[in-house]
Amino acid sequence: MSADIVPLPRRQPEEPASLDPILSLTAPGMNAVNAVILDRMQSEIPLIPALAGHLIAGGGKRLRPMLTLAGAELVGYQGTRHHKLAAAVEFIHTATLLHDDVVDGSEMRRGKAAANIIFGNPATVLVGDFLFSRSFELMTEDGSLKVLKILSSASAIIAEGEVDQLTAQRKIETSEERYLNIISAKTAALFAAASRIAAVVAECNEEKEEALDAYGRNLGVAFQLVDDALDYDSNAAEMGKDQGDDFREGKMTLPVILAYARGDEDERAFWKAAIGGHRTSDEDLAHAIELIRRHGTVDATRERARMFAQRAIDAIAIFPDGKARQAMAEAARFAVARGY
Amino acid sequence: MSADIVPLPRRQPEEPASLDPILSLTAPGMNAVNAVILDRMQSEIPLIPALAGHLIAGGGKRLRPMLTLAGAELVGYQGTRHHKLAAAVEFIHTATLLHDDVVDGSEMRRGKAAANIIFGNPATVLVGDFLFSRSFELMTEDGSLKVLKILSSASAIIAEGEVDQLTAQRKIETSEERYLNIISAKTAALFAAASRIAAVVAECNEEKEEALDAYGRNLGVAFQLVDDALDYDSNAAEMGKDQGDDFREGKMTLPVILAYARGDEDERAFWKAAIGGHRTSDEDLAHAIELIRRHGTVDATRERARMFAQRAIDAIAIFPDGKARQAMAEAARFAVARGY
């Protein structure tokens, strides 16, 4: 036996994972998509491109259109129809972000002042409506009724999910089941649709369509779970929004649902007050983060996310191995690992 | 000569006109449309039908879907596809009303508390999004790409018109030209689309499509002109909204644009202050109404409306005379005469 002290390995909770493979896979296509986005957010009313551009140029990851492009690579699609449709997907997403910011009274988005702060709620609502209409114009130009059905249905489900989330806000009794329903609707439905339409333009069979849908849907759930975990993760290196927003808004996300379930009587009383909007100071947030750490519910949330990411990866196992499948699998692992 | 004093006839500024003929023409179809509306505003999220129902059951005239049904009668369409599409039109309209009420901070709508007052801005924005998505689901179910193109384009134009109106708000220098562009976009585009799609489902030729489009478009302009006149018409018997809303919000509508143009220096100073938001008391409103009466700009606005209504009537002269054409012509005359 050696006398050297072997240090315990530092906790490496995730395999290293990166978005780079999917970024390079989709880079040429994303240039085309970005060109459509910039072209079609124009209007004779100058406030529209000004407001839309503030958010669109604001450095989002464009994950959803990327899924359409990656899916197209995966199924070997050779055409260009998916560029317009991927732009339509991003417009739907942008419209929901604009409306979300009004709904939540957000102050920051992607590290900048949110559009509603700069341009006001009225213009932000209306430009969201414009982008939403524009997305349906793009789909109609493409002409696939199947794509229109998938994306109009996803849009209705997103709105339902957002309303459901609003209804659950400040309700401490929200269950994990209901929470999962909410994020499946408000986030995963568009991920699923964005992936699925790649199979539709490529005229794949139903099995492949379903596989891409399942990839996107599970990835979307994983993505939202980690987003919600990051809001309470004191170790988080990367923050997409102001930490503590969910707490102050009384949103019932999984780290809180589990901390409430695992907590003792005093802790539950604290959560009731906090989610009810009566304890929302910085000290209260620090206490919430401490309780969440005590019960390991950020890790538990990531654990759920890991399972959904694995389901995403398994869903595309029916496709031949190759660059596209590997990039998509790594994107799913990245969705779980990000923030570390 | 008789010794009897013949009284001067009371001022009869319009021929008597009524919505009754178009109401009876479309009554059976409207039952079918209402059934679609009630069915498709449902959701598992109870807040959605509650909020949507508050506005939808709130006694709107359903003028836009009525135009689709009347147009279908005019062209002799025998099918039922237009019921779903007319419901889609009403959903688009309802979505824009919900968003408008948030944008304007309205307190009343159709004589009841506005949805945003009862349910809050967040839910009102999101249920608008839901209805908007639902309308595209309905169109997609119908399956006509031509209808989808007409209505998605109209939706984008409505949003542009609303943003443009927002930009013109509190700007005294807004011209009649710009005002007409705004109302053509925010109001007349949907009237035009609602009428036009009747010709599309009936597979009419381009000439008939254009004729129905022109009918709806001109009717929409006339309708909005009179709406804007009523906001300053001290004789108005019927008020769809709180009189003076436009004044307090600094909206540049035609009665104000003309009163400013025709006013002397003092009057212009008053209008600048009022539209700028610095003179919005009840006394200021009374003074504004007095200036508008002095320069006859409510009547001048109605005069414009009469011309647009006549263009609407002339546009459908290419169709054979009959119950449908007469009902549509009388609806156009009613649009001008209402409020007397």
Side-chain angles (χ1 to χ4, degrees):
Chain A
M1 281 177 86
S2 159
D4 292 345
I5 293 165
V6 182
L8 282 171
R10 271 196 69 202
R11 181 169 168 246
Q12 287 283 356
E14 312 298 335
E15 329 166 39
S18 153
L19 269 187
D20 290 346
I22 202 168
L23 286 168
S24 9
L25 180 76
T26 58
M30 281 308 289
N31 284 335
V33 173
N34 288 334
V36 178
I37 288 174
L38 286 177
D39 180 43
R40 301 308 289 275
M41 70 181 213
Q42 297 309 315
S43 161
E44 285 176 20
I45 314 302
L47 181 54
I48 291 178
L51 194 155
H54 172 77
L55 179 57
I56 285 172
K61 289 178 290 296
R62 310 228 168 136
L63 212 48
R64 293 155 191 81
M66 208 179 288
L67 293 182
T68 308
L69 300 193
E73 291 288 329
L74 185 68
V75 302
Y77 175 63
Q78 297 293 322
T80 56
R81 280 175 55 201
H82 58 324
H83 296 154
K84 219 179 231 185
L85 294 175
V89 166
E90 185 68 2
F91 278 169
I92 292 177
H93 176 56
T94 308
T96 63
L97 288 187
L98 291 173
H99 288 182
D100 277 359
D101 283 343
V102 170
V103 164
D104 292 341
S106 309
E107 298 189 349
M108 301 286 286
R109 165 73 68 185
R110 294 175 180 167
K112 300 202 296 183
N116 47 308
I117 299 299
I118 299 179
F119 300 96
N121 282 343
T124 305
V125 169
L126 296 173
V127 174
D129 290 350
F130 172 80
L131 292 174
F132 201 57
S133 305
R134 219 2 95 77
S135 84
F136 280 95
E137 283 191 278
L138 284 165
M139 289 176 235
T140 302
E141 285 171 25
D142 172 70
S144 163
L145 283 168
K146 201 164 173 183
V147 168
L148 275 156
K149 181 169 194 264
I150 291 166
L151 283 170
S152 60
S153 159
S155 299
I157 289 169
I158 292 168
E160 286 182 304
E162 302 263 10
V163 176
D164 200 15
Q165 173 174 265
L166 204 63
T167 317
Q169 213 166 346
R170 305 220 174 279
K171 293 233 169 73
I172 193 69
E173 65 275 17
T174 306
S175 67
E176 176 166 354
E177 285 310 302
R178 179 156 182 210
Y179 164 78
L180 285 173
N181 285 339
I182 290 171
I183 67 173
S184 294
K186 75 164 189 163
T187 306
L190 191 55
F191 276 69
S195 307
R196 179 187 271 261
I197 60 176
V200 174
V201 293
E203 295 177 17
C204 296
N205 61 23
E206 184 68 19
E207 184 198 7
K208 289 181 181 170
E209 246 190 62
E210 290 287 352
L212 273 172
D213 185 291
Y215 170 80
R217 192 171 304 276
N218 285 294
L219 177 63
V221 173
F223 182 86
Q224 188 62 55
L225 281 162
V226 173
D227 234 38
D228 292 344
L230 286 173
D231 214 52
Y232 291 99
D233 187 350
S234 46
N235 297 316
E238 167 221 324
M239 290 296 309
K241 49 181 174 174
D242 280 351
Q243 201 166 38
D245 273 1
D246 289 348
F247 178 74
R248 280 182 289 267
E249 290 162 16
K251 279 197 185 146
M252 286 301 288
T253 59
L254 194 55
V256 173
I257 292 170
L258 295 177
Y260 179 71
R262 296 175 183 184
D264 62 23
E265 214 169 302
D266 282 354
E267 292 173 24
R268 290 192 178 191
F270 166 78
W271 284 115
K272 269 185 204 164
I275 290 300
H278 311 297
R279 297 196 60 174
T280 59
S281 70
D282 286 354
E283 277 174 23
D284 294 322
L285 175 60
H287 184 56
I289 290 175
E290 169 52 29
L291 294 182
I292 277 170
R293 183 162 30 206
R294 185 181 305 166
H295 294 291
T297 69
V298 157
D299 286 343
T301 301
R302 275 192 195 272
E303 203 51 56
R304 260 65 156 190
R306 190 170 298 112
M307 188 275 291
F308 283 102
Q310 189 57 50
R311 281 168 65 176
I313 294 166
D314 290 335
I316 52 172
I318 63 161
F319 296 100
D321 193 16
K323 225 171 125 183
R325 203 180 88 181
Q326 285 168 22
M328 290 171 77
E330 185 150 347
R333 284 190 293 271
F334 174 81
V336 180
R338 80 208 158 92
Y340 271 99
Chain B
M1 279 179 85
S2 159
D4 292 347
I5 293 167
V6 181
L8 282 171
R10 272 197 67 203
R11 179 169 170 248
Q12 286 284 355
E14 312 297 337
E15 329 166 39
S18 153
L19 268 188
D20 290 346
I22 202 169
L23 285 169
S24 11
L25 180 75
T26 58
M30 281 308 288
N31 284 335
V33 173
N34 288 335
V36 178
I37 287 174
L38 286 177
D39 179 43
R40 302 307 290 274
M41 71 181 212
Q42 297 308 317
S43 161
E44 286 175 20
I45 314 302
L47 180 53
I48 291 179
L51 194 155
H54 172 77
L55 179 56
I56 286 173
K61 289 177 291 294
R62 310 226 170 141
L63 212 49
R64 293 155 191 81
M66 209 179 287
L67 293 182
T68 308
L69 300 193
E73 291 289 329
L74 185 68
V75 301
Y77 175 64
Q78 297 293 323
T80 57
R81 279 174 56 199
H82 58 323
H83 296 153
K84 219 179 231 186
L85 294 175
V89 165
E90 185 68 2
F91 277 169
I92 292 177
H93 175 56
T94 309
T96 64
L97 288 187
L98 291 173
H99 287 183
D100 277 0
D101 283 344
V102 169
V103 163
D104 292 340
S106 310
E107 297 190 349
M108 300 288 286
R109 165 73 67 185
R110 293 174 180 167
K112 300 201 299 182
N116 46 308
I117 298 299
I118 299 179
F119 300 95
N121 283 343
T124 306
V125 169
L126 296 173
V127 173
D129 291 351
F130 172 80
L131 292 175
F132 201 57
S133 305
R134 217 5 92 80
S135 85
F136 280 96
E137 283 191 279
L138 283 165
M139 290 176 234
T140 302
E141 285 170 25
D142 172 70
S144 162
L145 284 167
K146 201 164 174 183
V147 168
L148 275 155
K149 183 171 191 272
I150 291 165
L151 283 170
S152 61
S153 160
S155 299
I157 289 169
I158 292 168
E160 285 182 304
E162 302 264 10
V163 175
D164 200 14
Q165 172 173 267
L166 204 63
T167 316
Q169 212 165 348
R170 305 221 174 278
K171 293 232 169 73
I172 192 70
E173 66 275 17
T174 305
S175 67
E176 176 166 354
E177 283 312 301
R178 181 160 181 204
Y179 164 78
L180 285 174
N181 284 338
I182 289 171
I183 68 173
S184 295
K186 74 163 190 164
T187 306
L190 191 56
F191 276 69
S195 307
R196 179 188 273 261
I197 60 176
V200 175
V201 293
E203 295 175 18
C204 296
N205 62 23
E206 184 68 18
E207 184 198 9
K208 291 182 181 168
E209 245 188 64
E210 290 288 351
L212 274 172
D213 185 291
Y215 170 80
R217 193 172 304 276
N218 284 295
L219 176 63
V221 173
F223 181 87
Q224 187 63 55
L225 280 162
V226 174
D227 233 38
D228 292 344
L230 286 173
D231 214 52
Y232 291 98
D233 187 350
S234 47
N235 297 317
E238 165 221 325
M239 290 296 309
K241 50 183 173 174
D242 280 351
Q243 202 167 36
D245 273 0
D246 290 348
F247 178 73
R248 281 181 287 268
E249 289 162 17
K251 281 198 182 144
M252 285 301 289
T253 59
L254 194 56
V256 173
I257 292 170
L258 295 177
Y260 179 71
R262 297 176 182 183
D264 63 22
E265 215 170 301
D266 282 354
E267 292 173 26
R268 288 192 179 190
F270 167 77
W271 285 115
K272 269 185 202 162
I275 291 300
H278 311 298
R279 297 196 61 174
T280 59
S281 71
D282 286 355
E283 277 175 22
D284 294 321
L285 174 60
H287 184 57
I289 290 175
E290 169 53 29
L291 294 183
I292 277 169
R293 182 161 32 203
R294 184 181 307 165
H295 294 291
T297 70
V298 157
D299 286 343
T301 301
R302 275 191 194 272
E303 203 51 58
R304 260 62 157 194
R306 190 172 298 111
M307 188 275 291
F308 283 103
Q310 189 56 51
R311 281 168 65 176
I313 293 165
D314 290 335
I316 51 173
I318 64 163
F319 296 100
D321 194 16
K323 221 172 128 185
R325 204 180 87 180
Q326 285 168 22
M328 290 171 77
E330 185 150 348
R333 284 190 292 271
F334 173 81
V336 180
R338 79 208 159 91
Y340 271 99

